[in-house]
Each structure stands twice: as C-alpha cells, then as structure tokens.
Amino acid sequence: MDIRRVEHPLIRRAAEGLHNFNGRHPWSHNDHFHGWILANLPVHRETAIDIGCGQGELVAKLAGRFARVRGTDLDAGMRAEADQRCSGLTNATIDDGQLAHLDGPVDLVTMIAVLHHLDVEQALIDVERLLAPGGRFLVVGLAAPVSIRDTAWDLAAAATNPLIGLIKHPRPVPGGPVPPPFPVRDPQFSFDELQTMVQNVMPGTEMRRRLAFRHTICWTKPG
C-alpha cells in the first residue's frame, strides 16, 4: 500500500501537513545518499559513469576520486546545468549517451533515482557488460510499496523526513514546496520484484531498504 496515495480524509490532511512542513525545510532525498556512494567506491578508480547525472553534483564529487568521470542525461536542461557545474573539471564530461550505447570497461556505474525510468532487466545487462572485473554498480533507487514490510518502511520514512529536514535545513524557507527540477516517474516494481531481477543478472548483490523512500543496490563484478 502506498501511504502517499491513501484518500482517507484524516490521513490526507496529515500527509498535506507533512508535505507543507517538508517544503519549508527542504532537502534532497537523492543527494542525501552521495555519502553512501563515496563510501563504497571500488578499489580501482580509473573511469566512472553516472547514468542520469541530473545537475552534475555526483559527477563533480567523483571527479576528485577518479581519473575520468562521465555523466549522461537525456534532459538538455539537466545537461546544461551539469556542464556549468563541471566546467572547471578537466577530467569530467557530460553528454546524452544512452546506456545501451556506452563503451566499457569502466570501474564504476552509478544511478540515483534512475533505474525505475529504464527497462530494468536490459539496464542491468548493459551495466554488467560495461563494468570491468572488480568494477562496482551503485544504485539509489525507488520501489513501489506493495507489502506490509514496504508500507512499514514508507511510514518510517514519512516520520523521519521532517526530522532530517530540520537538521539539514533548520531555517524555514518561504513559498512552500518547490517541484523537483528533474523528470518524475512512479516506480513500477516492488522491492522484492526488483531484488529478484537484480539477483538473476548480478548474483550476490547487496540490496537494502533505506529511509527517505529509497533503497540501495551494491554489486561488484567478479573476476
């Protein structure tokens, strides 16, 4: 059950109150996980690719840790912002390359809130092809809540979201919630369905539910 779509008046009123509060204390659920990615980088750090790089924040951070970093995004507006952010980084490039057409081998492939926009199984196959032995695939993703366990994690995320907002952005901002600058799509697969898909292509993957309505995927290519 997706608690964000429940139509009961009391639940709807509470959800609107939380939404307004979160809008006054905004924080990026995606950027929040940059630290997790940086803490789980592969040993060999020659080349990294961030798929769906958005405004380029992660690309800029990875550029200080890899010899070469490439960010790809199909949205021209996002690429323009990423280009500007990374303009002073000689080892970072931004383009509109599509996953199926990218060349490897690379040491790291990252995706933040991107995998559910893609054909999941084909994307996993393409990433497996791209990675060098020992290369790592790091994902911060979204899943559709369908089980009791999924709903429990969503409730925990809803409860902790304002607390994290107060810590990250203690001064309230005027104007109310601001729509995200990137394309938004609801996930189609549940956590358990995704886990089955991932394990079929990448056996041994570590996949964990997280707060902030997210999960993480970590896989190191054998070899």
Side-chain angles (χ1 to χ4, degrees):
M1 180 182 69
D2 190 341
I3 61 172
R4 290 158 288 183
R5 297 180 182 277
V6 174
E7 293 299 330
H8 190 282
L10 291 177
I11 296 177
R12 177 54 55 192
R13 202 170 312 138
E16 289 174 355
L18 276 174
H19 181 65
N20 291 332
F21 181 91
N22 294 333
R24 294 193 298 272
H25 301 273
W27 59 283
S28 171
H29 295 67
N30 294 330
D31 295 354
H32 179 69
F33 287 94
H34 286 181
W36 174 80
I37 288 175
L38 298 178
N40 287 280
L41 299 177
V43 174
H44 193 250
R45 302 179 187 177
E46 187 69 21
T47 306
I49 299 180
D50 183 27
I51 307 296
C53 67
Q55 297 167 317
E57 295 96 330
L58 182 58
V59 173
K61 293 175 181 178
L62 292 174
R65 294 165 170 82
F66 285 78
R68 293 182 300 277
V69 182
R70 179 179 181 182
T72 72
D73 205 297
L74 299 182
D75 186 279
M78 292 290 100
R79 291 199 306 276
E81 293 196 36
D83 264 325
Q84 184 175 8
R85 183 181 297 275
C86 300
S87 60
L89 303 173
T90 58
N91 64 332
T93 58
I94 307 294
D95 59 58
D96 63 351
Q98 298 189 44
L99 181 57
H101 302 146
L102 300 182
D103 295 323
V106 301
D107 302 302
L108 175 69
V109 175
T110 57
M111 295 182 186
I112 299 184
V114 169
L115 186 58
H116 69 287
H117 286 268
L118 307 176
D119 178 328
V120 174
E121 289 185 317
Q122 186 58 53
L124 296 171
I125 291 169
D126 288 332
V127 170
E128 195 279 337
R129 169 186 59 82
L130 271 177
L131 284 173
R136 188 161 285 179
F137 182 40
L138 297 175
V139 174
V140 178
L142 292 82
V146 299
S147 69
I148 294 175
R149 190 175 183 187
D150 296 338
T151 301
W153 274 95
D154 263 17
L155 287 169
T160 56
N161 198 80
L163 298 177
I164 298 173
L166 277 174
I167 293 170
K168 288 181 171 288
H169 204 297
R171 288 177 150 238
V173 297
V178 177
F182 44 81
V184 175
R185 181 187 181 189
D186 289 334
Q188 302 300 306
F189 297 108
S190 70
F191 180 93
D192 292 335
E193 289 171 330
L194 281 172
Q195 191 169 47
T196 298
M197 293 182 196
V198 174
Q199 291 292 346
N200 284 341
V201 179
M202 300 172 171
T205 295
E206 179 183 304
M207 188 167 166
R208 293 182 59 187
R209 290 177 171 88
R210 306 282 183 171
L211 296 177
F213 305 104
R214 299 293 187 271
H215 62 259
T216 56
I217 298 171
C218 178
W219 181 69
T220 303
K221 185 171 181 176

